[in-house]
Amino acid sequence: EILLTQSPVTLSLSPGDRATLSCRASQSVTSNYLAWYRQKPGQAPRLLIYGASSRATGIPDRISGGGSGTDFTLTISRLEPEDSAVYYCQQYSNSPGTFGQGTKLEIK
Amino acid sequence: QVQLVQSGAEVKKPGASVKVSCQASGYPFGTYGINWVRQAPGQGLEWMGWVSTYNGQTQYAQKVQGRVTMTTDTSTTTAYMELRSLRSDDTAVYYCARGVIVPSARAYYFDYWGQGTLVTVSS
C-alpha cells in the first residue's frame, strides 16, 4: 500500500499568512489521484481538494492544491482563524486508499 | 442537500458486536458507494471498507477482514457496518462517507461524510 507522509506535523502561523502543507507518497500516485481534507475538532472531515488541484464545492480560491507524482502541496493563502484544523491528504489511485497522518495548523 | 446521518454512540464490552447505521438523503442512493472510515482517539483516519449501494458488493481492509460486514437497505437508503469480536483498540469514531470513484482509480475519495458514531469498547 502507498504510505503518505505529511509535513510539518504542526504549523503555527498568523492571520493573513500563507500556509504550505506537504504530502509525500512512498510511490507515484497515478493520475494525481490525491485529495485533501480539513477536520476541525469534534467534526467530520471535509473534502477540500480532489485530483490534486480541483477544489470541492464551496471551497474558496484562497485554498489550492498542487504537485504530481510523489510530492503534493496544499496552500492556504490569507489565513483566517477558521483555518485552524488538522489537514489530511489521501491517495485513491491504489487500493486500499490511504491517508497521511495529518498536519495540525494553528492560527496564532 | 446531501446528508448522511449516523446512529448514536455505543458502549460495548470486549468480544461483543456493534452495528452502526448511516441514512443517506438528497441524492439517488444507488449511484454512490458508501465507505466506512474510523478514527481512534487522537489518531488519524483509517479506511475500513466499501459497500456498493447498487448490488451489495463489498471490499474490506485487511485489518478488519473477517470481523466486519457492510450492508445496505435500499428501501430505507441506509447503510450498515457491523463489527464483531470487539477489542479495546476498536474504540474509535466511525464515519460513513460517500465514495467517488473515477476512471482507472482503484479507490475512492469522499465528498460527503456522516457526523460520526463513537464506539467505546470497555470492560
Side-chain angles (χ1 to χ4, degrees):
Chain A
E1 76 183 39
I2 296 179
L3 179 67
L4 299 178
T5 302
Q6 293 186 238
S7 61
V9 173
T10 304
L11 187 57
S12 185
L13 295 170
S14 299
D17 285 350
R18 171 184 293 187
T20 302
L21 286 63
S22 173
C23 177
R24 176 162 289 178
S26 61
Q27 62 190 79
S28 184
V29 177
T30 308
S31 301
N32 296 336
Y33 286 151
L34 188 111
W36 290 92
Y37 303 86
R38 163 189 289 177
Q39 186 178 34
K40 297 183 179 182
Q43 296 186 16
R46 179 183 180 181
L47 177 68
L48 301 175
I49 298 287
Y50 62 94
S53 60
S54 296
R55 275 183 290 274
T57 303
I59 302 304
D61 60 8
R62 64 187 185 83
I63 294 176
S64 61
S68 64
T70 59
D71 289 295
F72 299 88
T73 57
L74 179 72
T75 302
I76 308 173
S77 304
R78 304 184 301 280
L79 284 170
E80 302 175 0
E82 68 175 31
D83 296 322
S84 288
V86 178
Y87 292 80
Y88 294 96
C89 58
Q90 180 231 348
Q91 66 79 23
Y92 51 99
S93 68
N94 277 24
S95 181
T98 49
F99 293 91
Q101 85 283 9
T103 289
K104 184 176 183 179
L105 174 60
E106 299 174 340
I107 309 301
K108 293 180 283 191
Chain B
Q1 72 282 20
V2 174
Q3 280 195 305
L4 300 174
V5 179
Q6 299 184 222
S7 49
E10 303 263 12
V11 179
K12 297 291 183 181
K13 294 192 182 302
S17 299
V18 68
K19 191 170 187 177
V20 180
S21 68
C22 169
Q23 185 170 36
S25 61
Y27 70 99
F29 185 64
T31 55
Y32 292 87
I34 294 292
N35 291 253
W36 291 88
V37 176
R38 69 180 178 180
Q39 186 172 38
Q43 302 301 308
L45 301 166
E46 177 187 22
W47 178 79
M48 297 179 66
W50 161 85
V51 58
S52 167
T53 55
Y54 177 71
N55 60 13
Q57 181 183 354
T58 55
Q59 182 186 10
Y60 302 134
Q62 208 163 10
K63 188 173 181 181
V64 294
Q65 180 89 38
R67 293 199 298 135
V68 70
T69 302
M70 296 176 187
T71 57
T72 64
D73 182 342
T74 55
S75 68
T76 59
T77 65
T78 302
Y80 298 92
M81 187 283 299
E82 181 180 31
L83 188 60
R84 300 177 293 279
S85 302
L86 289 168
R87 310 186 289 243
S88 58
D89 63 355
D90 291 318
T91 293
V93 176
Y94 289 76
Y95 294 102
C96 62
R98 193 175 82 164
V100 181
I101 187 75
V102 296
S104 79
R106 296 175 179 267
Y108 303 85
Y109 70 89
F110 314 117
D111 61 350
Y112 290 93
W113 296 64
Q115 82 277 18
T117 297
L118 175 62
V119 175
T120 303
V121 183
S122 174
S123 55

